[in-house]
C-alpha cells in the first residue's frame, strides 16, 4: 500500500474496492457453500436486529434473548470477524482456514457465556468464580484478536495496555502519578466480562439497540441507488462552477456522510468519481485527495448519525437524542459551508477552468440549493400536521391509513422516476464530461427522500427512540428494494416482471449482508472500547489524567484545552469513529469539566463531549496514521503524508470550532431562542467564511499579511463577541460570601450564581479550588433556596464554611472530591452574581465596519491590478 500511495499512480477500481472491503467489511471473500453459509449468517444477524428494534420484539423474541441481546450481538460480530478478516496479509482470501473456524466458534460461545449461564451469574451477583474468570480472559483475548483483524492493531494495543494497567498498576515501574493498587484476575474479569461495566457496557448496548439499524439503513439506502443519486445531484448543481468537482465532492460527501458511518468508505465511494475530475480542472493529486478527506471526515460530525457517536452521547451526556443533534447541527453545517468556500478560493486563486459548457451564476446555484434544503426541512417539519389530522379523524385506524398514504406517495414518486432513465455511474476519465442537468435527473430519485423523511419525522417530531425510528425507515427501504424495479417495469410497459423482482430480492439480500459486514468492526470497536471504559471506572485513571494535564498545563486554561485536544488526537489514531469517541470521551471529557471548573469556566457536558469528539476524528486526517488520507492518496495517486498535511490545513476550521463553542455555547444553540438562533447562525456563518479567507490568504484578492491577521481577528470577534464585551463591562459582580443567602433571597428564579469553593482534596489533602454554578429556585427564602440546591452553609468568624452537601443533589456529585472532615474547612471564597451588561452583539458593528474597510481596499487593489474581485 505504501508503494501505491507514494505518488506512483492511483489504485485500480478493483484495488480500491479491496481497500474499502479490507478496512470496513473484511478482505476475505470465500466461495461455494461456505460463502452461502456466511451470507445466511450475516442476513440472520440483520434480521435479528430488525426484529429486536421492532415494536413487536417482546412478542416475537423470548425474554431471555432480549435480556442478553448484547451477548448475541457480540457473538455474531466475533464469528463473522474471524470469517471475514484474514489474520495476516499472507493469509488466504478465498477460503476460511480451520483455525479461524475454531476461533470464531469458540469466541461466539464465550460471548454467549452470560446467556448460557445467566442464572448462575445472577446468583453470584456478577462475581466471577474460578471457571468464569478463565472463560472471560479467553473471551478478551479472542475479542482483541478480532478487533486487531477488523480495526487494525491500534485498538487492540490500546485496550491491552489498559488491561495490563488493571493488573500491574501497582508495580514499581509504573510512574507514581498513575500508580494504583491493582486488581486480581477474578475481580478484573468480573468487571470486564461478567458484569455490564466493561465489554457488555453502555457502548455495546448502543451498538446493539441503535447503531446497527442506522448502519443497515445506510447500506440499504445505498443499495437502492441513493448514493449515486446524491453524487449526481451534487455534480449537476455545482460541477459547472469554478472548482465545481471539488464543490460537488464536498456536497456529495455531506449527503453520503448522512448514511455512512465510515470516513474511509466515504472517501473511496465519492472519491473515485470526484478526485479525477478535481485533478482535471487543476487541483494537484494531494489537493484533490485532501478536499475529499476533509469533506468525508466532516460527514462524521454531521447529524443525524455522526458515525454513531450521537447515540453514545445520549447515554454518556444524559440528554435526549433530539438535543444532541440540535447542539451538533450548527458547527457541522458551518464547517461544510467553509469547506465549499475553501475550494472556491483555491479555484479562484488558480483561475481554474470549468467543466462542461453550461453557464449558471453562483448566486442562482446557491439560492437553488438553499431553497431545496429549506424546502426539505419544511417538508420534514410540516408533515406532522396532516399526520395529526389523520390521527384526530380516525384514531383507531390511523396507523394503517398513514402507512397507506406513505405507500401511495412512494408509488406516485416512483411513477415520476419511471419517466426518466435510470441513473448509472459516470466515467470521470471520459474524454468529454457531460455533467448531469438537475432539472432532468431530480425526478429519478425523489422517492429516496421518503425513508429519510420517515426517519426524521419519528426522530424529531414524534421523538421516538433512535432504534424504533430507524426500524420504520428501514422497513420502508425493504419495500422500496423489493418493489422499485418491478413497479418501474410496469410503469414503463415492460414485461420482465419476474427478472426485476428477482433483482430486487437480490438487492435486498445483498443490502442485509452489507449492513451486517459493515457492523462487524463497529460492534468489535464498541466491545473493545468497553475494556477502556471499564478500566477508567475500576481504577479511577480519569482523575489521574486530569492531574497530569493540570500539571503539564500549569493551570493555564487555553493550554489545558490544547493539551486535551492533542491527547484526543493521539488517542483517536487508527480507531473508527465510534471507538474513537468512546475512548477520548472516557478519558478526556471529565478532564475538561474538572479543570475548566477550577479555572472558573463552567462548560455544559455536551460541549465537552463534542470538543473531544472533534479532535478525535481529526486522527483520520492527520499523519502519521490518517486512515482517510491514505485512502484518498490511494485514489489520487498522490503522496499520503502530504495529502494528510494539506487535509489538516483544509480542516483548520474543524480544529478551531471546538475552542469557540467551549467558550461560546450559543454556537451549540444551548438556551437559545429562535430569533437569537437565527442571528447566531448568520453571524457564525459569516465568521467561519472570514476565518477561512484569513487562513487561505485570499479574500477578494490576495491578502496582505495585516489583512489576514485582521480577518482572523474579525472572525474571532463575530464568534466571541462576549470576549470583548466582558472587558468593556464585566459580566459578573463579586459579592461577599457572607451575603450569599441575602442575595439569593432577592434573586429571581432561573438566575445563575457562581460560587468559588476552596478546600482540601480528599485524596491528596492539598488545597484546590473549583467554581460551582447554582441555578436559583423558586423557594421563598434564601436559606431554603440554598438547601434545595444541596448547599449547607455555616458562617463562622466571617468565613463562609460548607458542610458536606446533601446526598443525591448535583452539587454533591460535583464536590465529591473534597474532604469535608479534614482540619482545614471547605469554604466559599467568592460569590459572583450576574451584572447588567449591554448586548454582546454590539461588537458586531465595529467588526463589520472593519470588514467593509478591508473589502474596499482589496476591491480597489484588484481593479488596479486588473484582477476580477
Amino acid at each position: 500500500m505504501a508503494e501505491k500511495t507514494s505518488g506512483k499512480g492511483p489504485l485500480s477500481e478493483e484495488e480500491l474496492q479491496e481497500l474499502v472491503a479490507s478496512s470496513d467489511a473484511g478482505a476475505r471473500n470465500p466461495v461455494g457453500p461456505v460463502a452461502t453459509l456466511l451470507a445466511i449468517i450475516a442476513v440472520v444477524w440483520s434480521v435479528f436486529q430488525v426484529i429486536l428494534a421492532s415494536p413487536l420484539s417482546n412478542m416475537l423474541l423470548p425474554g431471555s434473548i432480549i435480556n442478553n441481546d448484547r451477548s448475541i450481538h457480540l457473538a455474531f460480530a466475533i464469528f463473522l470477524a474471524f470469517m471475514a478478516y484474514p489474520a495476516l496479509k499472507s493469509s488466504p482470501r478465498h477460503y476460511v482456514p480451520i483455525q479461524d473456524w475454531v476461533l470464531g466458534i469458540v469466541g461466539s460461545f464465550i460471548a454467549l457465556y452470560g446467556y448460557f449461564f445467566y442464572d448462575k451469574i445472577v446468583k453470584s451477583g456478577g462475581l466471577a468464580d474460578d471457571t468464569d474468570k478463565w472463560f472471560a480472559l479467553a473471551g478478551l483475548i479472542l475479542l482483541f484478536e478480532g478487533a486487531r483483524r477488523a480495526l487494525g492493531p491500534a485498538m487492540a494495543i490500546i485496550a491491552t495496555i489498559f488491561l495490563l494497567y488493571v493488573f500491574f498498576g501497582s508495580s514499581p515501574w509504573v510512574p507514581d502519578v498513575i500508580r494504583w493498587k491493582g486488581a486480581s484476575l477474578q475481580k478484573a474479569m468480573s468487571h470486564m466480562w461478567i458484569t455490564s461495566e466493561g465489554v457488555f457496557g453502555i457502548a455495546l448496548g448502543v451498538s446493539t439497540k441503535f447503531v446497527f439499524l442506522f448502519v443497515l439503513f445506510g447500506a440499504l439506502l445505498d443499495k437502492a441507488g441513493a448514493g449515486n443519486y446524491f453524487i449526481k445531484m451534487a455534480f449537476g448543481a455545482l460541477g459547472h462552477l469554478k472548482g465545481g468537482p471539488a464543490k460537488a465532492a464536498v456536497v456529495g460527501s455531506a449527503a453520503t456522510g448522512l448514511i455512512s458511518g465510515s470516513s474511509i468508505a466515504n472517501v473511496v465511494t465519492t472519491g473515485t468519481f470526484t478526485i479525477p475530475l478535481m485533478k482535471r480542472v487543476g487541483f494537484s493529486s494531494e489537493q484533490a485527495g485532501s478536499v475529499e478527506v476533509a469533506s468525508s471526515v466532516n460527514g462524521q460530525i454531521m447529524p443525524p448519525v455522526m458515525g454513531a457517536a450521537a447515540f453514545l452521547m445520549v447515554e454518556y451526556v444524559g440528554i435526549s437524542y433530539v438535543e444532541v443533534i440540535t447542539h451538533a447541527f450548527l458547527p457541522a453545517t458551518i464547517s461544510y459551508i467553509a469547506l465549499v468556500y475553501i475550494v472556491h478560493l483555491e479555484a479562484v486563486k488558480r483561475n481554474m477552468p470549468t467543466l462542461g459548457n453550461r453557464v449558471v451564476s453562483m448566486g442562482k446555484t446557491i439560492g437553488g440549493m438553499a431553497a431545496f434544503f429549506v424546502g426539505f426541512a419544511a417538508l420534514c417539519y410540516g408533515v406532522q400536521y396532516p399526520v395529526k389530522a389523520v390521527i384526530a379523524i380516525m384514531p383507531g385506524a390511523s396507523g394503517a391509513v398513514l402507512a397507506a398514504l406513505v405507500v401511495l406517495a412512494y408509488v406516485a414518486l416512483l411513477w415520476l422516476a419511471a419517466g426518466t432513465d435510470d441513473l448509472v455511474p459516470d466515467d470521470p476519465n471520459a474524454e468529454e464530461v457531460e455533467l448531469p442537468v438537475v432539472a432532468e435527473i431530480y425526478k429519478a430519485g425523489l422517492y429516496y427522500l421518503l425513508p429519510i423523511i420517515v426517519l426524521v419525522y419519528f426522530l424529531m417530531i414524534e421523538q421516538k427512540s433512535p432504534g424504533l425510528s430507524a426500524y420504520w425507515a428501514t422497513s420502508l427501504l425493504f419495500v422500496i428494494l423489493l418493489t422499485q424495479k418491478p413497479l418501474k417495469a410496469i410503469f414503463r410497459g415492460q414485461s420482465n416482471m419476474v427478472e426485476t423482482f428477482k433483482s430486487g430480492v437480490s438487492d435486498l439480500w445483498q443490502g442485509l449482508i452489507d449492513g451486517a459486514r459493515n457492523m462487524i468492526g463497529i460492534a468489535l470497536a464498541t466491545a473493545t472500547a468497553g475494556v477502556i471504559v471499564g478500566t477508567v471506572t475500576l481504577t479511577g485513571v480519569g482523575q489521574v489524567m486530569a492531574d497530569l494535564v493540570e500539571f503539564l498545563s500549569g493551570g493555564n486554561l487555553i493550554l489545558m484545552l490544547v493539551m486535551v485536544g492533542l491527547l484526543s488526537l493521539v488517542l483517536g489514531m487508527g480507531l473508527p469513529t465510534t471507538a474513537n469517541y468512546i475512548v477520548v470521551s472516557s478519558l478526556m471529557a471529565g478532564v475538561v469539566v474538572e479543570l475548566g471548573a477550577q479555572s472558573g469556566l463552567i462548560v455544559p457536558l455536551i460541549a465537552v463531549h463534542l470538543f473531544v469528539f472533534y479532535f478525535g476524528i481529526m486522527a483520520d486526517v492527520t499523519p502519521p496514521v490518517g486512515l482517510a488520507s491514505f485512502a484518498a492518496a490511494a485514489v489520487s495517486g498522490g503522496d499520503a503524508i502530504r495529502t494528510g498535511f494539506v487535509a489538516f490545513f483544509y480542516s483548520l476550521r474543524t480544529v478551531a470550532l471546538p475552542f469557540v463553542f467551549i467558550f461560546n455555547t450559543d454556537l451549540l444553540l444551548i438556551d437559545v431562542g429562535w430569533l437569537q438562533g437565527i442571528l447566531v447562525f448568520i453571524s457564525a456563518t459569516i465568521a467561519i467564511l472570514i476565518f477561512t479567507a484569513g487562513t487561505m490568504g485570499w479574500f477578494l484578492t490576495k491578502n496582505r499579511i495585516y489583512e489576514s491577521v485582521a480577518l482572523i481577528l474579525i472572525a474571532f470577534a463575530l464568534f466571541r463577541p462576549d470576549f470583548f464585551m466582558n472587558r468593556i463591562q464585566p459580566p459578573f459582580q463579586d459579592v461577599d460570601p457572607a451575603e450569599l443567602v441575602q442575595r439569593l433571597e432577592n434573586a429571581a428564579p432561573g438566575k445563575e450564581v457562581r460560587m468559588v469553593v476552596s478546600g482540601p482534596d480528599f485524596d491528596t489533602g492539598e488545597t484546590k479550588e473549583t467554581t460551582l454554578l447554582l441555578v436559583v429556585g423558586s423557594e421563598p427564602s434564601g436559606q431554603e433556596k440554598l438547601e434545595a440546591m444541596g448547599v449547607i452553609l455555616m458562617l463562622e468568624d466571617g468565613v463562609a464554611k460548607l458542610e458536606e452537601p446533601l446526598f443525591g443533589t448535583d452539587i454533591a456529585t460535583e464536590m465529591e472530591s473534597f474532604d469535608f472532615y479534614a482540619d482545614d474547612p471547605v469554604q466559599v471564597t467568592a460569590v459572583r452574581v450576574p451584572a447588567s451588561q449591554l448586548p454582546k452583539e454590539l461588537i458586531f458593528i465595529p467588526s463589520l465596519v472593519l470588514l467593509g474597510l478591508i473589502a474596499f481596499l482589496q476591491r480597489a487593489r484588484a481593479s488596479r491590478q486588473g484582477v476580477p474581485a
Side-chain angles (χ1 to χ4, degrees):
M1 181 63 66
E3 185 178 331
K4 285 284 184 183
T5 58
S6 58
K8 295 190 176 182
L11 299 185
S12 67
E13 178 66 25
E14 185 179 340
E15 289 171 318
L16 287 172
Q17 293 309 316
E18 184 179 343
L19 170 69
V20 176
S22 61
S23 62
D24 280 346
R28 188 179 281 146
N29 196 14
V31 294
V34 171
T36 305
L37 173 65
L38 297 182
I40 291 171
I41 292 172
V43 170
V44 168
W45 188 17
S46 290
V47 172
F48 165 73
Q49 295 288 164
V50 171
I51 294 173
L52 187 66
S54 80
L56 301 176
S57 59
N58 290 325
M59 296 170 58
L60 298 173
L61 296 173
S64 58
I65 287 183
I66 293 175
N67 290 338
N68 292 278
D69 54 357
R70 298 179 190 183
S71 298
I72 296 168
H73 182 77
L74 183 59
F76 273 114
I78 287 181
F79 179 77
L80 289 174
F82 284 106
M83 298 300 102
Y85 292 90
L88 304 167
K89 287 185 178 179
S90 57
S91 299
R93 296 293 194 270
H94 300 298
Y95 70 93
V96 182
I98 186 67
Q99 65 268 23
D100 283 357
W101 282 102
V102 173
L103 292 173
I105 291 169
V106 172
S108 297
F109 171 78
I110 299 177
L112 292 168
Y113 191 81
Y115 173 68
F116 293 134
F117 301 102
Y118 182 77
D119 293 336
K120 170 190 167 187
I121 289 170
V122 169
K123 286 177 183 176
S124 69
L127 184 65
D129 60 22
D130 285 337
T131 305
D132 297 338
K133 70 182 181 184
W134 294 113
F135 271 101
L137 181 60
L140 283 176
I141 292 169
L142 290 173
L143 173 62
F144 289 178
E145 169 58 14
R148 182 195 68 80
R149 294 187 184 198
L151 308 167
M155 188 81 214
I157 290 171
I158 292 172
T160 302
I161 291 170
F162 273 80
L163 193 60
L164 290 173
Y165 174 67
V166 169
F167 294 130
F168 304 109
S170 59
S171 300
W173 47 266
V174 175
D176 289 343
V177 70
I178 61 170
R179 192 175 298 170
W180 85 296
K181 62 182 181 180
S184 66
L185 179 63
Q186 187 171 0
K187 180 171 178 55
M189 292 303 101
S190 297
H191 196 78
M192 296 298 178
W193 197 270
I194 304 302
T195 70
S196 59
E197 294 291 327
V199 169
F200 298 98
I202 288 174
L204 188 63
V206 171
S207 176
T208 305
K209 286 184 165 49
F210 305 144
V211 178
F212 194 106
L213 264 289
F214 277 85
V215 170
L216 180 61
F217 174 78
L220 294 175
L221 195 58
D222 188 56
K223 201 67 190 173
N228 182 45
Y229 175 70
F230 291 154
I231 292 172
K232 278 187 172 289
M233 287 289 286
F235 265 86
L238 299 167
H240 56 278
L241 300 172
K242 268 190 184 295
K247 292 169 183 169
V250 174
V251 175
S253 293
T256 53
L258 295 176
I259 61 174
S260 167
S262 166
S263 52
I264 296 170
N266 208 345
V267 165
V268 175
T269 303
T270 56
T272 47
F273 183 67
T274 60
I275 288 175
L277 289 178
M278 281 191 265
K279 291 167 68 176
R280 198 160 174 161
V281 297
F283 285 91
S284 68
S285 296
E286 287 76 21
Q287 285 177 323
S290 299
V291 169
E292 188 57 55
V293 169
S295 51
S296 295
V297 170
N298 252 44
Q300 306 303 291
I301 65 173
M302 193 73 186
V305 179
M306 296 166 61
F311 314 118
L312 288 158
M313 286 182 192
V314 171
E315 301 294 330
Y316 289 160
V317 181
I319 60 178
S320 72
Y321 173 79
V322 172
E323 288 177 289
V324 169
I325 60 176
T326 300
H327 298 324
F329 173 75
L330 185 53
T333 302
I334 65 173
S335 186
Y336 262 117
I337 290 171
L339 189 53
V340 172
Y341 189 48
I342 284 172
V343 297
H344 173 71
L345 291 178
E346 287 284 13
V348 170
K349 281 197 286 187
R350 289 167 173 73
N351 196 24
M352 292 180 181
T354 57
L355 285 176
N357 53 12
R358 278 188 293 138
V359 179
V360 179
S361 73
M362 182 80 160
K364 284 185 178 178
T365 300
I366 293 174
M369 291 185 65
F372 170 77
F373 285 116
V374 169
F376 182 67
L379 179 63
C380 291
Y381 181 77
V383 75
Q384 63 181 305
Y385 296 109
V387 169
K388 287 177 179 176
V390 170
I391 294 172
I393 294 169
M394 46 187 74
S398 59
V401 172
L402 291 172
L405 289 173
V406 171
V407 170
L408 188 64
Y410 162 61
V411 172
L413 291 173
L414 199 63
W415 174 79
L416 203 63
T420 63
D421 295 332
D422 291 335
L423 301 179
V424 294
D426 294 321
D427 179 11
N429 299 307
E431 284 190 29
E432 291 291 329
V433 177
E434 287 291 331
L435 292 174
V437 179
V438 171
E440 296 174 2
I441 68 166
Y442 79 95
K443 298 177 184 177
L446 281 177
Y447 63 94
Y448 295 135
L449 300 180
L450 269 179
I452 300 174
I453 292 172
V454 168
L455 178 65
V456 172
Y457 171 77
F458 278 104
L459 280 175
M460 303 296 290
I461 308 301
E462 291 284 335
Q463 297 198 10
K464 301 293 186 186
S465 74
L468 186 61
S469 304
Y471 166 78
W472 289 116
T474 302
S475 299
L476 179 56
L477 275 172
F478 279 26
V479 174
I480 290 174
L481 280 162
L482 287 173
T483 61
Q484 63 173 346
K485 291 180 179 177
L487 286 176
K488 278 185 183 178
I490 292 172
F491 292 144
R492 290 168 177 166
Q494 298 169 348
S495 57
N496 54 341
M497 285 289 298
V498 176
E499 290 79 3
T500 53
F501 181 72
K502 285 181 179 177
S503 179
V505 172
S506 175
D507 287 343
L508 176 58
W509 180 266
Q510 191 58 49
L512 292 170
I513 294 171
D514 290 347
R517 290 192 70 153
N518 291 344
M519 264 306 297
I520 296 171
I522 296 175
L524 293 181
T526 52
T528 310
V531 173
I532 297 165
V533 176
T535 301
V536 173
T537 57
L538 183 62
T539 66
V541 72
Q543 180 60 46
V544 172
M545 293 295 290
D547 294 340
L548 180 63
V549 171
E550 182 182 19
F551 172 74
L552 293 175
S553 65
N556 182 283
L557 186 59
I558 297 296
L559 189 57
M560 179 269 289
L561 289 172
V562 170
M563 290 196 60
V564 169
L566 290 174
L567 282 170
S568 300
L569 189 64
V570 171
L571 288 168
M573 285 184 176
L575 304 184
T577 305
T578 315
N580 184 323
Y581 168 65
I582 297 168
V583 172
V584 298
S585 63
S586 301
L587 290 171
M588 295 285 101
V591 175
V592 178
V593 171
E594 181 174 340
L595 298 184
Q598 289 180 20
S599 302
L601 178 68
I602 307 296
V603 189
L605 196 54
I606 182 64
V608 175
H609 278 256
L610 286 171
F611 180 91
V612 296
F613 177 56
Y614 269 54
F615 275 97
I617 62 164
M618 285 304 295
D620 267 358
V621 176
T622 314
V625 179
L627 299 178
S629 296
F630 275 87
V635 178
S636 70
D639 180 81
I641 300 297
R642 197 176 304 135
T643 299
F645 281 116
V646 176
F648 183 79
F649 176 69
Y650 286 165
S651 301
L652 279 177
R653 79 243 175 268
T654 311
V655 175
L657 278 172
F659 287 97
V660 174
F661 61 61
I662 280 285
F663 290 98
N664 180 12
T665 56
D666 287 355
L667 200 62
L668 300 181
L669 302 179
I670 294 175
D671 298 328
V672 169
W674 276 100
L675 288 177
Q676 190 185 356
I678 293 169
L679 179 61
V680 169
F681 178 79
I682 294 170
S683 62
T685 303
I686 296 171
I688 200 76
L689 294 177
I690 295 170
F691 176 80
T692 301
T695 53
M696 292 293 291
W698 191 283
F699 183 33
L700 300 181
T701 186
K702 185 176 180 180
N703 296 343
R704 289 174 175 161
I705 293 177
Y706 64 84
E707 290 174 334
S708 289
V709 172
L711 287 170
I712 294 172
L713 182 64
I714 293 167
F716 178 74
L718 293 175
F719 272 134
R720 290 279 324 274
D722 57 309
F723 178 84
F724 296 98
M725 185 56 75
N726 290 349
R727 275 142 189 81
I728 298 169
Q729 286 184 311
F732 296 102
Q733 174 188 356
D734 285 337
V735 300
D736 190 329
E739 297 179 19
L740 177 58
V741 174
Q742 182 184 344
R743 289 283 181 164
L744 289 177
E745 188 99 36
N746 303 322
K751 287 289 185 182
E752 294 179 348
V753 175
R754 295 178 179 232
M755 187 169 73
V756 182
V757 177
S758 174
D761 183 270
F762 187 82
D763 294 320
T764 65
E766 296 179 3
T767 301
K768 68 174 188 175
E769 186 173 273
T770 191
T771 302
L772 303 173
L773 184 67
L774 307 179
V775 180
V776 179
S778 56
E779 291 75 18
S781 71
Q783 190 63 43
E784 287 173 310
K785 287 175 180 176
L786 261 187
E787 289 174 0
M789 300 170 192
V791 179
I792 303 176
L793 189 68
M794 305 284 290
L795 293 174
E796 292 182 10
D797 302 325
V799 177
K801 298 180 181 179
L802 285 178
E803 297 291 322
E804 188 169 12
L806 295 175
F807 181 75
T809 57
D810 290 340
I811 198 170
T813 305
E814 295 178 53
M815 297 192 66
E816 61 185 2
S817 60
F818 282 90
D819 187 353
F820 290 90
Y821 302 98
D823 294 335
D824 295 325
V826 179
Q827 58 183 312
V828 180
T829 57
V831 173
R832 299 187 178 111
V833 296
S836 59
Q837 189 183 52
L838 290 170
K840 61 185 178 182
E841 289 78 11
L842 290 175
I843 299 296
F844 292 166
I845 297 172
S847 303
L848 294 175
V849 169
L850 180 56
L851 177 64
L853 177 62
I854 294 172
F856 174 77
L857 292 173
Q858 289 208 355
R859 188 173 292 277
R861 190 164 71 247
S863 63
R864 287 198 305 269
Q865 295 169 350
V867 178

